[in-house]
Amino acid sequence: MNEDRFPVRDRVIEPAFPLTFPIFQTASYSIPEGERYRYGREANPTVEELERQISIYERTEKTVCFSSGMGAISTSLFQLLKPGDRIVTTIDTFARSSRLISGFLKKWGIIPTISAPGTEALLSNITENCTVFLESISNPLLRVYDIRRIAERVHSLGGKLICDSTFSTPENMNAHDLGADLVINSLSKFIAGHNDVIGGSASGDGELVQEIDNLRRTVGTNMDPNTAYLSLRGLKTLSLRMKEINKNGISVARNLQTVDKIKNVNYPGLDTHPDYEYSKKVLKGYGGVMTFDIEGISGKQNELFKALSLIQPANTLGSVNSVISHPKTMSHRSLSADELAMVHVSDNTFRLSVGIEDSESIIEDLKVAIRSVI
Ligand code: PLP
């Protein structure tokens, strides 16, 4: 059987041999036979099946799952770093990850460096033994990082590279193949894919992931079995959904460039994007997320949201339904005015995550709503 192609078959288990791996809704396990799982915070068979399947998809030895993407990021960084260590990330990293690094970790004696966006700037900040944390496609600038070059530099200086692959998913890129030591996914987005799950994963070589798993058991950032079940279901259609989302992404982004009042359409699949040439080489698809400015909309984002009938306004992305957000007042509200300027977020900026609807309907919905508000 070729296990590299998704969806893979769920593991069939005794005594009932179900085709779909079941939810093991139990807090603990009977001793001595259940000693391998011991207690629900330590391990759960449904979560283990999800970890097995994500490892196959991410082409890594091992995966451990968490209660959220941030659970995956924080537990991994707590395990990898100690006081006096340096961590390098970029200004365009997801705001919560940024806060964790430049706020919380700094308080505990870890030295953060926040690089300007883009591969060259990041490369120039890598020093001996540092840990680099980047996003395969960054949120919200959508910069695509040259993971291969960054990994070579990090490894030659004795450090480690962590890649948050939430925006690309293993369908569009395998960051471990490109040299990342640890690949993080927020399963809350494209992987589970239906706006009904909060979960995360960290994948990499066995020993490294086992150390992170051991800390997860201690800090209790474990995934619950229902979330694992829904994420397993999401994995079965990830490939199909991403094909449709990639197709819609490029079509909607190109079309938005021609819409009156829409400016600065930013999407890795457009030849105006600063990393377009590199994106073509490294991504199988450009994904579903784009940003753009709407001229004259300042202060009227809620009116725009109310005028939309297909696209849903929400603090998330990566679902079968198209979702729009206003980064300045939503995901990136904790950034200072200077930081917002650096990530090109203004009052007029919106982030759109296209779903699997018909692309013309997505564009029409936006056009009608813009016309009704300005
Ligand atoms: N990484 C990226 C790129 C994200 O956009 C997010 C959330 O939006 C996260 C991580 C955090 O994931 P979660 O919401 O599952 O904690």
Side-chain angles (χ1 to χ4, degrees):
M1 187 174 71
N2 180 359
E3 285 210 321
D4 283 330
R5 286 176 183 256
F6 255 76
V8 295
R9 279 173 54 167
D10 283 6
R11 214 151 31 100
V12 178
I13 50 163
E14 294 181 39
F17 305 96
L19 277 193
T20 301
F21 200 92
I23 303 173
F24 279 80
Q25 188 73 51
T26 181
S28 195
Y29 305 85
S30 181
I31 296 297
E33 295 84 355
E35 177 58 22
R36 181 162 109 69
Y37 293 103
R38 197 175 305 148
Y39 186 64
R41 178 172 24 75
E42 312 259 323
N44 175 282
T46 319
V47 177
E48 275 193 357
E49 174 61 9
L50 175 64
E51 291 169 345
R52 183 185 78 86
Q53 293 202 16
I54 293 176
S55 290
I56 295 169
Y57 224 145
E58 281 294 5
R59 301 163 54 77
T60 57
E61 268 175 28
K62 190 169 165 66
T63 293
V64 55
C65 284
F66 297 86
S67 50
S68 67
M70 285 314 300
I73 293 167
S74 55
T75 311
S76 301
L77 292 181
F78 296 164
Q79 175 56 36
L80 284 170
L81 297 165
K82 58 181 187 322
D85 285 351
R86 273 193 71 224
I87 179 163
V88 183
T89 191
T90 60
I91 185 76
D92 52 329
T93 296
F94 172 56
R96 284 261 169 232
S97 308
S98 231
R99 283 283 165 267
L100 175 74
I101 291 169
S102 54
F104 185 83
L105 291 179
K106 189 172 174 200
K107 205 172 73 182
W108 285 87
I110 289 144
I111 306 151
T113 299
I114 311 298
S115 165
T119 297
E120 297 307 325
L122 180 56
L123 281 169
S124 71
N125 279 294
I126 298 171
T127 53
E128 220 156 292
N129 294 325
C130 70
T131 296
V132 173
F133 181 91
L134 57 74
E135 290 166 2
S136 56
I137 305 177
S138 71
N139 178 9
L141 270 187
L142 308 171
R143 295 300 297 260
V144 181
Y145 284 87
D146 190 338
I147 294 171
R148 206 184 287 279
R149 272 177 74 206
I150 294 164
E152 274 167 19
R153 174 75 62 86
V154 173
H155 293 153
S156 73
L157 293 169
K160 283 207 169 15
L161 173 61
I162 306 175
C163 176
D164 178 339
S165 284
T166 300
F167 275 34
S168 53
T169 80
E171 185 60 28
N172 282 342
M173 178 205 275
N174 283 123
H176 188 65
D177 283 352
L178 298 172
D181 298 283
L182 198 67
V183 182
I184 305 267
N185 281 291
S186 164
L187 309 182
S188 327
K189 309 297 185 319
F190 295 98
I191 290 187
H194 295 74
N195 286 334
D196 50 10
V197 155
I198 299 291
S201 66
S203 307
D205 289 347
E207 205 176 316
L208 177 68
V209 176
Q210 188 57 58
E211 285 168 3
I212 295 167
D213 190 2
N214 291 343
L215 184 64
R216 175 194 62 81
R217 291 163 191 244
T218 303
V219 295
T221 43
N222 51 292
M223 174 179 277
D224 82 89
N226 287 282
T227 298
Y229 181 83
L230 288 171
S231 303
L232 276 166
R233 169 169 286 201
L235 272 185
K236 292 180 204 303
T237 56
L238 179 63
S239 172
L240 263 182
R241 286 185 284 110
M242 287 314 290
K243 282 190 181 82
E244 200 56 28
I245 285 171
N246 288 336
K247 200 162 63 143
N248 271 351
I250 190 74
S251 161
V252 171
R254 282 192 186 134
N255 248 287
L256 289 184
Q257 287 182 306
T258 68
V259 174
D260 190 32
K261 308 254 191 271
I262 292 192
K263 305 278 175 247
N264 307 324
V265 182
N266 179 30
Y267 179 70
L270 295 177
D271 59 11
T272 48
H273 188 279
D275 305 314
Y276 176 62
E277 288 306 321
Y278 172 66
S279 306
K280 272 198 300 192
K281 280 189 229 148
V282 77
L283 293 172
K284 272 208 281 167
Y286 304 108
V289 187
M290 62 199 70
T291 58
F292 51 85
D293 293 339
I294 305 178
E295 223 171 39
I297 194 96
S298 179
K300 295 185 187 154
Q301 67 274 7
N302 287 334
E303 286 172 53
L304 181 85
F305 290 162
K306 281 200 187 100
L308 291 164
S309 54
L310 175 71
I311 305 170
Q312 296 173 323
N315 264 305
T316 193
L317 56 97
S319 154
V320 287
N321 303 108
S322 294
V323 171
I324 194 163
S325 71
H326 185 248
K328 185 170 174 198
T329 54
M330 295 166 74
S331 54
H332 292 72
R333 65 189 177 281
S334 59
L335 267 58
S336 68
D338 284 351
E339 288 169 333
L340 285 171
M342 284 180 82
V343 296
H344 303 175
V345 169
S346 75
D347 285 330
N348 291 342
T349 308
F350 289 82
R351 187 185 70 193
L352 174 67
S353 169
V354 296
I356 61 169
E357 309 96 334
D358 165 55
S359 68
E360 281 170 19
S361 307
I362 301 171
I363 295 155
E364 195 50 32
D365 195 34
L366 204 51
K367 276 187 187 166
V368 170
I370 292 172
R371 272 202 301 269
S372 77
V373 174
I374 45 176

